[in-house]
Amino acid sequence: MIEVSHLSKTYGAIQALNDVSFSIQEGEIVGLLGPNGAGKTTLIKILTGYLQPDEGVVHIDSLDVLAQTEAVQARIGYLPENAPMYPELSVQAYLKLMADLRLVPVDQRTPNIIEAVRATGLEDRMTQPIGQLSKGYRQRVGLAQALLHKPKLLILDEPTVGLDPTQIVEIRRLIQRLSQHSTILFSSHILSEVEALCDRVLMLMNGRLRADALTGDLAASGEVVLVLDGPAEGVQPALAALPGVARVTPEQNRDGYPVYRVYGEKGEDLSPAVFQVAAQSGWPVRELRDEVRSLERVFNELAVGEE
Ligand code: ATP
C-alpha cells in the first residue's frame, strides 16, 4: 500500500528526512514514532502529496505520489496535525462542504456522510457548531472528514495530541475500529499508544529511520533471566559458553536469590539452551524467563545511540 524509497528532505540547513525507506502492506496498522522534530510531519506531508521531497520516490497503491498526486489523494484519508476547520459551521455543514471539496459523487455524499458520522460516533452532534465542540469531538470531526471518500489508507498525524486521557482512549478505540477496514499509518510521540495499537513500528530520529519492526519483535530483547533457588557451581562460565551468548552478568534479586542475565548476540531465543544446561548441571532453577523490553526502553536505547 505504501512504498517509500530513499526519501530525503531539507529545510535550509535542517535535514528533516535522511534517506528513509520502508513499505507498508494493505491491512497493516503502523505507528510512526519519534520525538519532537524527528521528521514525522514532514514524512506524512510527502506521503500525502502536500510536500515535495528533495530526493526519493513514494508509491501509494502502486501510484507515484509526485506524478499522480490527485489519484493518490483520492485514496488517502488524511488527518493533518492541526486540521483546519470552520468553527462557525455545524458538523453537518462542514462534512457536506468537505464531501463537495473531495468530489464525492453526488449520489454518494449523504450515505458516505452518514457512514463517517456513525464510524466516529458524531450522530448527536450534527447540528452543533464545530467551535462549540470539545477537542475530542473536534478530532472526531477531523477523522470523519478523512473517511468521507472511503479511503483505502488513513494517514493520521498525531491524532491524540492535546486530548485529555478519556478522549485519548476514545480516539484510540476509534482508530482500532477503523483499522478493521483500512490500512492505517499514524504518527505519535507517545510510546504506549503505539505499543497498544500497532502491529508494526517505524521509529524516526533526527530524520533517519532507526527501527522498522513488528512491535513484538522490538519488545523481544534477546535477554534471558535465570533465577536460582540457591547458589550453584560454575553457572556463569557454563552459560557464557553457550552458542549465541554474548555475555552473562550475575545479579542478586531482592529476595537474595542468585540471578543471571544472559545477553544474546543476535536477539535469538536463548531460553531452550539455558534450560537444557541448567537441567544437565542440576542447578536449582526457580525461574527462567525471556526479558521483554518496553518500547520506552527501545526508544531510549536508540536515543542514546543518536547522541
Ligand atoms: P513534532 O512531533 O514536533 O510535530 P515532527 O517529528 O513532526 O515533530 P517535523 O515537523 O517533520 O517533525 O520537523 C522536522 C524538522 O524540520 C524539525 O527540525 C523542524 O523544525 C524542521 N521543519 C519542519 N518544517 C519546517 C519548515 N517549513 N521550515 C523550516 N524547518 C522546518
Side-chain angles (χ1 to χ4, degrees):
M1 180 55 79
I2 303 180
E3 284 287 340
V4 171
S5 59
H6 302 293
L7 218 51
S8 292
K9 174 77 189 172
T10 52
Y11 299 105
I14 297 171
Q15 179 111 41
L17 291 177
N18 187 353
D19 197 24
V20 170
S21 300
F22 61 89
S23 60
I24 293 177
Q25 308 305 316
E26 197 164 345
E28 277 190 296
I29 172 162
V30 177
L32 176 61
L33 199 57
N36 290 131
K40 303 180 297 293
T41 298
T42 302
L43 175 60
I44 282 179
K45 282 186 182 163
I46 293 173
L47 296 185
T48 50
Y50 291 96
L51 188 68
Q52 289 207 0
D54 299 335
E55 278 171 53
V57 185
V58 179
H59 285 96
I60 304 270
D61 206 15
S62 305
L63 300 171
D64 183 332
V65 172
L66 277 182
Q68 296 154 288
T69 312
E70 272 184 31
V72 165
Q73 287 175 345
R75 284 162 167 75
I76 299 178
Y78 172 36
L79 178 68
E81 195 173 11
N82 299 302
M85 290 200 190
Y86 302 86
E88 66 289 356
L89 286 188
S90 68
V91 172
Q92 186 169 345
Y94 172 71
L95 292 178
K96 272 189 180 155
L97 172 70
M98 295 310 287
D100 285 354
L101 292 176
R102 290 273 159 65
L103 305 176
V104 176
V106 178
D107 60 329
Q108 288 169 29
R109 280 181 201 174
T110 306
N112 285 15
I113 289 174
I114 291 172
E115 214 176 307
V117 164
R118 275 206 194 118
T120 50
L122 282 168
E123 292 95 330
D124 55 354
R125 305 288 159 143
M126 293 300 279
T127 55
Q128 216 170 331
I130 290 173
Q132 289 178 12
L133 295 174
S134 67
K135 258 191 163 172
Y137 271 95
R138 279 207 295 276
Q139 202 65 333
R140 289 184 192 214
V141 176
L143 278 166
Q145 66 77 29
L147 299 175
L148 286 173
H149 53 301
K150 298 198 163 192
K152 297 170 86 168
L153 171 64
L154 279 173
I155 297 186
L156 316 173
D157 198 354
E158 305 244 10
T160 60
V161 81
L163 302 184
D164 70 30
T166 319
Q167 294 164 339
I168 288 177
V169 170
E170 281 178 16
I171 294 294
R172 278 187 202 164
R173 281 206 192 113
L174 184 52
I175 292 173
Q176 219 149 20
R177 274 208 307 277
L178 296 174
S179 73
Q180 289 162 8
H181 303 287
S182 318
T183 308
I184 298 186
L185 173 68
F186 78 93
S187 71
S188 176
H189 56 264
I190 307 171
L191 299 151
S192 57
E193 178 157 286
V194 170
E195 203 157 24
L197 280 175
C198 298
D199 312 320
R200 227 174 102 205
V201 186
L202 303 173
M203 281 192 186
L204 269 184
M205 281 188 187
N206 293 331
R208 286 190 299 140
L209 191 62
R210 294 297 315 275
D212 172 358
L214 296 176
T215 317
D217 288 352
L218 264 188
S221 62
E223 289 171 31
V224 170
V225 176
L226 173 68
V227 185
L228 299 182
D229 238 337
E233 290 293 309
V235 177
Q236 193 177 359
L239 292 174
L242 289 173
V245 169
R247 69 198 154 91
V248 179
T249 53
E251 303 167 9
Q252 286 278 323
N253 82 3
R254 247 180 284 149
D255 303 319
Y257 296 111
V259 177
Y260 295 87
R261 189 173 290 269
V262 185
Y263 295 86
E265 273 163 357
K266 298 190 206 91
E268 71 266 48
D269 183 8
L270 294 169
S271 43
V274 171
F275 180 77
Q276 205 175 10
V277 74
Q280 280 166 358
S281 314
W283 299 334
V285 176
R286 182 178 181 84
E287 187 186 339
L288 175 65
R289 63 182 155 84
D290 293 320
E291 185 80 299
V292 176
R293 289 190 298 185
S294 66
L295 274 190
E296 188 144 16
R297 189 173 145 198
V298 177
F299 199 74
N300 289 337
E301 285 169 7
L302 289 172
V304 168
E306 280 290 301
E307 283 161 7

